[in-house]
Amino acid sequence: MTHAPLRFGLIGTGRIGQVHAANIAANRDTTLSWVADPFVDGARSVAESFGGRVTADADELFAADDVDAVLIASPTPTHVDLIEQAVDRGIPVLCEKPIDLDIARVEALRPKVSAAGVPVALGFNRRFDPAFVEVRARVAAGEIGALEQLTIISRDPSAPPAAYVAVSGGIFRDMTIHDFDMARFFLPDIVEVSAVGSTTFDQGAREHGDFDTAVVTLRAASGAVVTIINSRHSAVGYDQRLEAFGALGTLQVANRSTSLVSLSTADRVEATAPYEDFFLQRYAEAYGAELRAFVELVRDGASASPTFDDGRAALLLADAAQRSATERIAVAVSLD
């Protein structure tokens, strides 16, 4: 059965919005119909490259008769209101994480999203990374026995600007939130959070009361333990690793290099190229797969897209980690 391309309205044309625009244009099942951004020059630039009509006002996009789905890539404080507008108009929506920095706003929107029956997906693209998907499938198949330990290492190449730290919501809501969702991808029923954070090198984090280094331990209902290791800098480049451990063995995902070629000489062995630069390169395949899964969700409901409730759960874990690191206590959580 063939379908006409799904017509997207894109809201937000920053770095991640441009990634989504390119993926929409490249997918034969989707087309970019509208591009909205109050910084209208950015919207024009995206439309010139990937198509679509331009507006500075998202209301115009929502009122259009040629929008089948909305992709929200605007700043976090706008997400709740835009999701609500989409749901009110019966328009499926894929929204970048997090839903909001304030769990109260998320909880207030939750009943409407649940009752509306409109597809709402969250942009936890790492669930679609081929290597992570493979490990999860092999764990589920029992290849290493019951999952006992999951270790997630995520370190950025360099710290963000201080101005970004000031509005980010802190390392747990901004950076670790992806790792919280990855933990739940393997172990949905997290019941306890313990976190330690420190500020060892980043002046921006120090100025705004944030951490640049963090380790989080999550305990699942099964007794399995997840360890998340974060840093805002890494001299070796974008550091993204994962290990699943069970009684029968270990499954590991290593960092991806920019080349498969290695050099061995008299003074070095198997020297390789650097790791991929940052998330846009490392997770390029995942962003494309995320879009394809959302299209499946809109068309027939058979989809692996993370839900609004997945976004809520990740934020609850981030809030618990912030409390744990600040008060130096273990925090019990319920994600129901």
Side-chain angles (χ1 to χ4, degrees):
M1 183 176 181
T2 59
H3 297 272
L6 201 65
R7 299 169 297 181
F8 270 84
L10 172 67
I11 304 174
T13 58
R15 181 170 57 178
I16 196 62
Q18 293 170 40
V19 170
H20 288 303
N23 284 330
I24 291 168
N27 189 318
R28 67 181 181 179
D29 293 323
T30 58
T31 187
L32 194 56
S33 182
W34 280 85
V35 183
D37 197 313
F39 301 99
V40 72
D41 286 345
R44 289 195 185 101
S45 176
V46 166
E48 287 171 2
S49 298
F50 305 112
R53 285 186 279 178
V54 173
T55 180
D57 186 353
D59 289 345
E60 185 177 3
L61 181 155
F62 281 114
D65 60 5
D66 57 348
V67 173
D68 302 314
V70 171
L71 201 157
I72 299 172
S74 51
T76 297
T78 68
H79 290 180
V80 164
D81 291 341
L82 292 172
I83 292 172
E84 186 170 21
Q85 280 187 266
V87 168
D88 285 344
R89 293 176 179 270
I91 301 174
V93 56
L94 170 58
C95 181
E96 272 298 326
K97 65 82 195 171
I99 300 170
D100 197 78
L101 298 178
D102 182 354
I103 191 63
R105 298 192 72 208
V106 176
E107 298 288 19
L109 181 59
R110 188 186 187 201
K112 175 176 281 192
V113 170
S114 298
V118 176
V120 176
L122 262 291
F124 290 115
N125 66 294
R126 296 181 191 182
R127 288 191 183 215
F128 300 98
D129 176 74
F132 296 161
V133 169
E134 178 183 344
V135 170
R136 181 175 181 264
R138 292 171 70 173
V139 168
E143 188 169 343
I144 62 170
L147 183 59
E148 298 174 6
Q149 296 177 342
L150 181 70
T151 303
I152 302 168
I153 297 174
S154 180
R155 299 184 179 107
D156 285 351
S158 59
Y164 177 83
V165 174
V167 299
S168 69
I171 191 171
F172 297 119
R173 297 181 187 92
D174 172 57
M175 180 180 178
T176 323
I177 197 164
H178 273 294
D179 305 313
F180 290 135
D181 184 70
M182 183 53 54
R184 292 192 64 254
F185 189 47
F186 284 83
L187 295 161
D189 298 323
I190 303 298
V191 297
E192 186 179 81
V193 180
S194 299
V196 176
S198 62
T199 308
T200 60
F201 60 86
D202 181 41
Q203 183 59 34
R206 190 169 290 110
E207 287 175 9
H208 298 290
D210 195 13
F211 305 118
D212 56 37
T213 302
V215 176
V216 182
T217 303
L218 309 175
R219 183 168 58 85
S222 66
V225 175
V226 182
T227 304
I228 299 171
I229 300 170
N230 287 155
S231 177
R232 288 289 201 181
H233 74 174
S234 170
V236 301
Y238 194 39
D239 190 5
Q240 298 287 291
R241 289 173 283 159
L242 181 144
E243 177 187 278
F245 173 84
L248 302 181
T250 303
L251 289 162
Q252 295 177 318
V253 178
N255 281 314
R256 288 201 336 198
S257 172
T258 55
S259 173
L260 296 176
V261 178
S262 64
L263 169 68
S264 295
T265 67
D267 59 359
R268 70 191 68 186
V269 176
E270 295 184 355
T272 62
Y275 299 139
E276 292 185 320
D277 289 342
F278 205 16
F279 70 94
L280 298 179
Q281 295 78 24
R282 170 62 181 83
Y283 292 112
E285 294 169 275
Y287 280 111
E290 174 186 65
L291 178 65
R292 292 192 295 272
F294 179 68
V295 172
E296 293 173 3
L297 175 65
V298 172
R299 286 188 169 158
D300 60 21
S303 172
S305 294
T307 65
F308 184 93
D309 279 349
D310 289 320
R312 169 184 173 269
L315 186 59
L316 285 169
L317 293 176
D319 285 353
Q322 183 68 45
R323 181 185 170 198
S324 175
T326 302
E327 299 181 18
R328 300 185 181 183
I329 59 171
V331 178
V333 294
S334 174
L335 304 181
D336 295 335

